[in-house]
Amino acid sequence: MAQWTATAALPQPRPFDPRAVRQQFPIFRARREPPLVYLDSAATSQKPDAVLEAMNEYYSLYNANIHRGIYRIAEQATAAYEDARAHLARFLNAGSPREVIFTRNSTEALNLIAYSWGRANLRAGDAILLTEMEHHSNLVPWQILAAERQVELRFIPMTPEGELDLEPLPRLLGDGRVKLVSVVHVSNVLGTVNPVAEIVSAARAAGAVVVVDASQSVPHLPVDVRALGCDFLACTGHKMLGPTGIGALWGRRELLEAMPPFLGGGEMIREVKLTESKWNELPWKFEAGTMAIAEAVGLGAALLYLEGLGMDAVFAHDRELAAYALGRLREVPDLRLLGPPLERRGGVIAFELGDIHPHDVATVLDSHGVAVRAGHHCAMPLHRKLGVVASVRASFHCYSVPEEVDALVEGLHHARSVFG
Ligand SMILES: Cc1ncc(COP(=O)(O)O)c(C=O)c1O
């Protein structure tokens, strides 16, 4: 059976102790003097030993292609890959592993829906409803589709506090033209946790299919696709302690069954003739060519690791640290926090520091060994709506500790003194 199960099932620290968690991440062990202050987990998370070992074991002990060889290590590789899928299905409380399609990342999962479901189902005069706080990955694929099919794009507005304003929702959905609603679960800029279940129920009542961009929620809090009630959900492995190059689309089986393939090639077919082909069954219909096998195995190990910590504990830790950070950041003169109150946000905090450009702030912070993100964070319309060109963003995960927030605050005081 899959090699990673044994390695990754190492006992996790209990009760939740971020300092002990941190010791299980080689990058933090390797960079002690000065310590790595990593406050950019919303861009990508760090990877624990368990994930790296699982991938190393695949390459070292049973490297083979999947779904084709009938020799032992090929079967072992196939089992490990499919175990990872089954694991992700359980993690999301999906009805079946067949509803989980591996992709390269969330972006590809969202494009898959736009290209396959969108082109099969949308006609001129239909509308797609998005929000003003979307990441470009949940905006651009719909813009391309809308231009191609003369489909209207509508938007749930965002308040100046960075929350969705659901008041116009009945009007936006009222004429029955909205066929698809796609909404971000947790904002990658403001950390806002959106009332997705409420949006899903209104959208489905209006006959729309609902997509949830869960890139920032699945890595940090318990996400249950059946409880959310959505039709599709996209997530990405590298933000959830897993490797880059692997993500997933979950979809309701009946919708996926009815959809045409996205990419054509090997493995996604049942039968090929010179001029036509028959498609494989789910989920392989959507997995053309050699997939990211080591990365799927690594993602499986990441899921096991996160489960060991407990997703409730991970989210509680994010919020505790966010509370501490919000308090400490308020001590910095001229700092303007963006986003909602703590009760409705996760472990992501964006801010401006006077009129110092975010890139200058980030450069000074880097000189203190503090890694933050500066810019528009792939959400230009969100920034435009808030009336800012760019922001500085600090974001946390299970290994983040209050000392990192202290280092951030110290660096911000220094940035103020440098730029006057
Ligand atoms: C909310 C949100 N959606 C989509 C994405 C795209 O993720 P990926 O680049 O892994 O496809 C991100 C990544 O930052 C994100 O934060």
Side-chain angles (χ1 to χ4, degrees):
M1 276 316 288
Q3 295 286 317
W4 55 262
T5 317
T7 332
L10 291 170
Q12 299 299 327
R14 284 188 183 279
F16 190 88
D17 174 1
R19 285 179 190 81
V21 168
R22 208 172 167 82
Q23 286 313 306
Q24 299 181 341
F25 287 70
I27 198 166
F28 294 121
R29 292 199 302 272
R31 302 182 49 119
R32 281 184 219 266
E33 292 297 333
L36 173 62
V37 177
Y38 186 72
L39 297 176
D40 200 17
S41 291
T44 198
S45 62
Q46 297 300 342
K47 323 300 174 199
D49 293 313
V51 167
L52 303 176
E53 282 167 17
M55 294 175 71
N56 195 25
E57 280 182 18
Y58 162 72
Y59 280 128
S60 311
L61 300 177
Y62 59 102
N63 176 55
N65 213 329
I66 53 171
H67 300 143
R68 30 200 120 189
I70 48 165
Y71 46 90
R72 207 163 304 165
I73 59 169
E75 283 174 357
Q76 202 177 350
T78 302
Y81 179 83
E82 293 300 336
D83 273 1
R85 188 198 309 280
H87 203 149
L88 183 55
R90 285 198 305 280
F91 196 78
L92 299 173
N93 196 27
S96 151
R98 287 182 179 249
E99 297 178 341
V100 173
I101 291 145
F102 282 130
T103 59
R104 274 189 307 140
N105 46 38
S106 293
T107 305
E108 190 174 280
L110 293 162
N111 274 278
L112 193 164
I113 309 167
Y115 277 88
S116 174
W117 186 91
R119 279 158 181 78
N121 289 284
L122 296 186
R123 306 278 169 272
D126 289 340
I128 293 173
L129 179 62
L130 307 170
T131 84
E132 288 181 337
M133 67 164 72
E134 297 309 318
H135 185 282
H136 298 165
S137 294
N138 195 27
L139 199 51
V140 180
W142 308 117
Q143 291 174 348
I144 296 171
L145 176 64
E148 191 183 302
R149 291 290 162 105
Q150 289 89 52
V151 163
E152 184 196 344
L153 293 180
R154 297 179 182 175
F155 296 91
I156 301 176
M158 187 183 71
T159 66
E161 293 72 40
E163 300 192 65
L164 293 181
D165 175 5
L166 298 190
E167 209 251 357
L169 194 56
R171 181 178 49 76
L172 287 164
L173 292 169
D175 62 5
R177 285 171 51 207
V178 174
K179 297 293 182 323
L180 181 129
V181 176
S182 192
V183 54
V184 67
H185 194 178
V186 172
S187 162
N188 64 306
V189 180
L190 307 170
T192 316
V193 182
N194 287 320
V196 165
E198 199 181 326
I199 297 170
V200 170
S201 87
R204 281 177 60 89
V209 157
V210 190
V211 180
V212 175
D213 174 1
S215 306
Q216 297 288 350
S217 57
V218 168
H220 294 272
L221 52 109
V223 172
D224 176 331
V225 288
R226 286 192 265 185
L228 283 179
C230 54
D231 297 287
F232 295 107
L233 178 138
C235 61
T236 197
H238 68 98
K239 295 187 200 289
M240 48 202 290
L241 314 185
T244 52
I246 187 89
L249 169 67
W250 167 83
R252 278 184 202 275
R253 192 166 175 163
E254 60 277 17
L255 291 177
L256 293 172
E257 297 276 14
M259 282 158 56
F262 172 40
L263 299 173
E267 283 303 299
M268 50 72 71
I269 42 74
R270 196 166 43 202
E271 191 188 350
V272 179
K273 296 183 184 157
L274 277 179
T275 54
E276 59 178 19
S277 301
K278 291 199 175 108
W279 316 137
N280 204 339
E281 49 195 55
L282 288 178
W284 307 291
K285 177 171 83 173
F286 292 107
E287 295 183 357
T290 298
M291 297 295 288
I293 306 165
E295 289 75 8
V297 170
L299 179 60
L303 296 174
L304 202 61
Y305 187 87
L306 284 169
E307 280 168 351
L309 297 178
M311 293 311 291
D312 283 316
V314 169
F315 193 48
H317 168 68
D318 279 357
R319 308 249 329 228
E320 208 172 295
L321 210 50
Y324 179 70
L326 289 171
R328 293 263 12 233
L329 289 169
R330 284 194 184 98
E331 294 167 12
V332 181
D334 303 327
L335 188 142
R336 179 181 162 230
L337 289 163
L338 306 172
L342 179 66
E343 310 81 77
R344 293 190 291 284
R345 71 153 85 208
V348 182
I349 300 179
F351 57 87
E352 288 184 296
L353 186 59
D355 50 16
I356 310 173
H357 194 282
H359 284 150
D360 292 332
V361 176
T363 305
V364 174
L365 289 173
D366 181 51
S367 74
H368 284 244
V370 178
V372 292
R373 178 93 181 258
H376 52 67
H377 323 306
C378 297
M380 283 189 190
L382 175 150
H383 280 88
R384 216 166 280 133
K385 180 73 190 256
L386 293 178
V388 298
V389 177
S391 61
V392 183
R393 180 185 72 184
S395 53
F396 314 122
H397 213 310
C398 54
Y399 40 70
S400 306
V401 290
E403 293 86 314
E404 292 179 295
V405 174
D406 296 338
L408 168 69
V409 170
E410 197 179 308
L412 291 171
H413 283 299
H414 185 209
R416 283 192 75 245
S417 70
V418 170
F419 290 98

